[in-house]
Amino acid sequence: MEEHSLTCTICLDRFQYPVTIPCGHTFCKECISKHWDQMERGGPQNTPYNCPVCKETFSPRPNLNRNVSLSVLSEVAASSTAERAAGAACGTDRVGDISEELCPRHQKPLIYYCRKDCMCVCCVCSLKECKDHDKVLVEEERCTREEALKKKGVEIGKCMEDTEKNILLLSENIAEAKVSLQQTSQWVSAKFSQLLKVLMEKQEVTQSFLDQQQASTVSQAESRLSNLQEKLKQLGELQEQISSLCAVPDRQLIQDSRLVEVPQMGSVPVDVSVNLQEKLSPVTDVLSRISKLVCEDLDKAVYAAVSHIKEGSPQDKRPMLAVVPSPATPPYPAGKQGLIQYRCSLTFDPRTANSHLMLSQNNQRAEHLTSGPHTVTAHEARFDYTWQVLCFENFTHGRHYWELEVSKPWAYVGVTYPSILRKEKGRTSMLGMNELSWSLELNERQLTAWHGSHGEPVKGELQLNKRPLRIGMLLDYEEGTLAYYGENQVRLHAFHCIFSHELYPACWIGEGVSVTLCPV
């Protein structure tokens, strides 16, 4: 091997970290770097960089990459030379070069990275210990790792951005939750206080009435008792007079006996009738219902709420609110003339009605009986546990508008696919509490739109204290909208969805509530 082929033409010494520039000549990395640094300091700006051998110019300044082949040849030549002192001196020089690390075993530059052993190795290690291993240049592995780190940095930056957004969103939701929980707490407290106040007031009025009735009834009975006692006294006196006459002489007895007469006294009633059952029957009926609500229904609802019971009938606990994005306003003309053209006639399907619901008026009225369930025939379409009923009619296209009247606010009205659950207990069978149905909840406080067990309070105006409540519904199957209207066809809310199956109008009806389908 020719010695001059392994010698740098600048320092005239064996290559140390040889690099090849674009013209093909090779130099020590430090030598060519110093040469070009001197050109930058001594020449004008934009001076082209040249090769010290062939004078070819380059612009911009080329990147310097290791010539691996010459590095290996140089190391092999250094190992085979007989001049150990010179080799040791070169090794010492390389150790002093802080630009590269040396192998602790062979004192050679760590120019390879062994992917199997996950470590940097020199050329000797690569020919011995790592001969058949997957190896790449340290510079190449560094570039790969730097690219991977850059990608991870981008991902971390995105995660930081998402985390900051989530922190802001969660903070806002916490603030909203605090307000909602405080309002709920205030409402519950006020409702309990109001109920207690009303009960105490009505108890005082009723008790006062009972006291008056008791005083009047007892007074009349005691007056009759006094009359009877007076009669008994008079009879006793007559009895004593008769006894005394029996002891007198005959002539006097005959003479005085004509004066003794049995007094004619009218009969005095001895019955004390308390005629309060008819008068108090409205009160006792209400108290019985309130007692059931408080002792049974309210007890179940409170237990289910505080115990976090997921299973149970929907009548055991009413669904809690959840927030969903507000739908867009549907493109339909307001006013009666804009909706009347889509008016349709509906009837309830008795095969689907829960046993607590009684249908009447040619199946256009459904009422939840307070007396309990009535006997119905078993049917696969019937809701066995959920207080619901579907209509006969279903829609697969077109626009359809109908109206219904709710006697008081405790009902869910909407539409559903026919595959809604009918034989299961729990909220999943309720209208709007699954992905198969949409509903508007009417309660005493507000309106709530439900779909997929997510609810949104409706800000539309509806006089909840008015009886009955009249609700209009417009279904546009192709456009995928279900809109609700209140008094004077004022839009309350609208759902937007791509409908895929036939839709049945449906109702969930609370206890003591009736829903009537308005005729065309």
Side-chain angles (χ1 to χ4, degrees):
M1 183 183 296
E2 295 293 339
E3 184 70 21
H4 65 83
S5 63
L6 301 177
T7 302
C8 174
T9 58
I10 297 179
C11 66
L12 302 179
D13 200 351
R14 182 173 290 131
F15 288 123
Q16 298 183 25
Y17 202 102
V19 294
T20 301
I21 62 177
C23 64
H25 292 99
T26 303
F27 309 93
C28 295
K29 181 179 181 180
E30 184 177 0
C31 295
I32 190 64
S33 296
K34 289 181 178 179
H35 173 71
W36 284 343
D37 290 343
Q38 291 175 356
M39 293 183 65
E40 288 180 348
R41 292 192 296 268
Q45 290 185 348
N46 299 326
T47 299
Y49 304 94
N50 62 13
C51 173
V53 177
C54 65
K55 304 303 179 182
E56 184 177 347
T57 59
F58 317 104
S59 182
R61 182 169 176 167
N63 294 325
L64 299 178
N65 298 319
R66 181 194 291 269
N67 189 318
V68 180
S69 298
L70 281 178
S71 294
V72 174
L73 292 175
S74 179
E75 295 299 331
V76 172
S79 300
S80 61
T81 181
E83 299 177 357
R84 296 299 180 182
C90 293
T92 303
D93 292 339
R94 284 192 296 272
V95 171
D97 186 3
I98 61 175
S99 64
E100 59 182 342
E101 298 182 29
L102 300 181
C103 176
R105 295 176 56 191
H106 307 108
Q107 295 299 311
K108 307 298 180 183
L110 300 174
I111 60 175
Y112 292 108
Y113 177 76
C114 178
R115 289 178 172 171
K116 181 178 181 180
D117 296 334
C118 298
M119 60 183 296
C120 296
V121 297
C122 65
C123 60
V124 178
C125 294
S126 68
L127 296 175
K128 294 181 178 180
E129 289 84 353
C130 304
K131 180 179 180 181
D132 298 327
H133 296 177
D134 182 14
K135 302 181 292 295
V136 294
L137 293 177
V138 170
E139 291 85 351
E140 182 180 349
E141 184 66 19
R142 178 185 177 90
C143 293
T144 302
R145 296 298 178 91
E146 286 179 348
E147 290 297 325
L149 288 174
K150 289 180 182 179
K151 293 181 180 179
K152 291 180 180 179
V154 173
E155 294 179 2
I156 292 174
K158 184 178 179 182
C159 290
M160 291 178 63
E161 182 179 354
D162 293 340
T163 303
E164 290 174 353
K165 291 180 180 179
N166 289 335
I167 290 174
L168 179 60
L169 181 60
L170 180 57
S171 300
E172 294 175 353
N173 289 339
I174 289 174
E176 293 178 359
K178 288 181 178 179
V179 173
S180 177
L181 290 171
Q182 184 179 6
Q183 291 176 348
T184 302
S185 177
Q186 292 174 351
W187 182 89
V188 171
S189 178
K191 184 62 68 176
F192 273 108
S193 299
Q194 180 185 5
L195 289 174
L196 292 173
K197 181 180 178 181
V198 171
L199 287 173
M200 292 181 65
E201 289 178 352
K202 302 311 174 187
Q203 181 186 14
E204 291 178 359
V205 173
T206 306
Q207 191 62 48
S208 176
F209 170 76
L210 289 173
D211 292 342
Q212 292 176 3
Q213 293 296 316
Q214 179 181 353
S216 175
T217 302
V218 172
S219 176
Q220 293 177 6
E222 288 179 347
S223 177
R224 295 198 300 271
L225 178 61
S226 178
N227 292 335
L228 288 175
Q229 290 174 345
E230 183 65 25
K231 180 179 180 179
L232 179 62
K233 181 180 179 181
Q234 294 176 5
L235 293 174
E237 292 175 354
L238 288 174
Q239 188 68 30
E240 291 178 358
Q241 183 181 358
I242 293 173
S243 297
S244 63
L245 287 177
C246 292
V248 300
D250 296 341
R251 185 179 63 83
Q252 185 180 354
L253 185 148
I254 296 172
Q255 184 67 30
D256 292 341
S257 63
R258 294 177 299 172
L259 300 176
V260 178
E261 293 183 1
V262 178
Q264 299 295 324
M265 296 182 180
S267 62
V268 177
V270 295
D271 294 333
V272 181
S273 61
V274 182
N275 299 321
L276 294 180
Q277 296 300 325
E278 294 185 5
K279 293 181 180 180
L280 291 180
S281 61
V283 178
T284 55
D285 290 344
V286 173
L287 286 176
S288 298
R289 294 200 300 270
I290 293 177
S291 178
K292 179 182 181 299
L293 285 173
V294 174
C295 298
E296 297 181 15
D297 298 349
L298 182 60
D299 181 68
K300 292 179 181 178
V302 172
Y303 179 79
V306 302
S307 301
H308 305 286
I309 296 177
K310 295 183 179 180
E311 294 296 327
S313 175
Q315 32 280 36
D316 291 340
K317 65 174 183 177
R318 298 174 69 180
M320 298 182 65
L321 294 180
V323 178
V324 294
S326 178
T329 303
Y332 296 115
K336 197 172 185 65
Q337 295 302 322
L339 299 173
I340 196 65
Q341 56 182 319
Y342 308 121
R343 194 72 176 265
C344 63
S345 179
L346 301 177
T347 54
F348 288 121
D349 185 353
R351 300 171 301 174
T352 66
N354 179 264
S355 59
H356 287 81
L357 306 181
M358 177 66 72
L359 303 186
S360 61
Q361 297 181 9
N362 295 324
N363 293 334
Q364 290 189 323
R365 183 176 185 271
E367 180 182 5
H368 189 138
L369 301 175
T370 58
S371 57
H374 64 283
T375 303
V376 294
T377 57
H379 198 281
E380 60 181 5
R382 192 178 305 282
F383 290 95
D384 288 348
Y385 299 100
T386 310
W387 300 337
Q388 276 176 182
V389 61
L390 305 185
C391 288
F392 265 120
E393 296 74 16
N394 66 82
F395 307 113
T396 57
H397 63 277
R399 296 175 181 173
H400 308 276
Y401 176 77
W402 64 94
E403 293 181 350
L404 46 83
E405 289 185 347
V406 182
S407 62
K408 56 184 178 180
W410 190 20
Y412 294 71
V413 295
V415 298
T416 181
Y417 290 143
S419 54
I420 188 172
L421 299 177
R422 308 186 189 216
K423 306 300 180 183
E424 289 76 7
K425 295 182 180 180
R427 297 175 64 231
T428 55
S429 301
M430 288 185 64
L431 200 62
M433 301 303 157
N434 48 69
E435 297 293 338
L436 304 173
S437 58
W438 297 257
S439 71
L440 180 69
E441 176 192 4
L442 294 80
N443 63 38
E444 294 179 350
R445 290 180 297 152
Q446 65 178 19
L447 305 175
T448 306
W450 290 92
H451 174 62
S453 194
H454 296 286
E456 177 190 1
V458 174
K459 298 180 180 179
E461 296 183 359
L462 185 65
Q463 297 179 0
L464 295 174
N465 58 345
K466 184 179 179 180
R467 303 292 188 275
L469 300 173
R470 195 177 185 94
I471 299 293
M473 301 172 60
L474 177 64
L475 170 67
D476 190 326
Y477 195 96
E478 283 77 13
E479 292 294 333
T481 57
L482 175 64
Y484 292 86
Y485 295 86
E487 297 294 333
N488 300 319
Q489 275 69 46
V490 176
R491 192 190 72 90
L492 301 174
H493 188 81
F495 289 106
H496 285 249
C497 181
I498 300 176
F499 300 125
S500 58
H501 299 84
E502 62 267 33
L503 290 171
Y504 288 82
C507 299
W508 185 98
I509 305 173
E511 187 174 5
V513 181
S514 65
V515 176
T516 303
L517 300 169
C518 300
V520 177

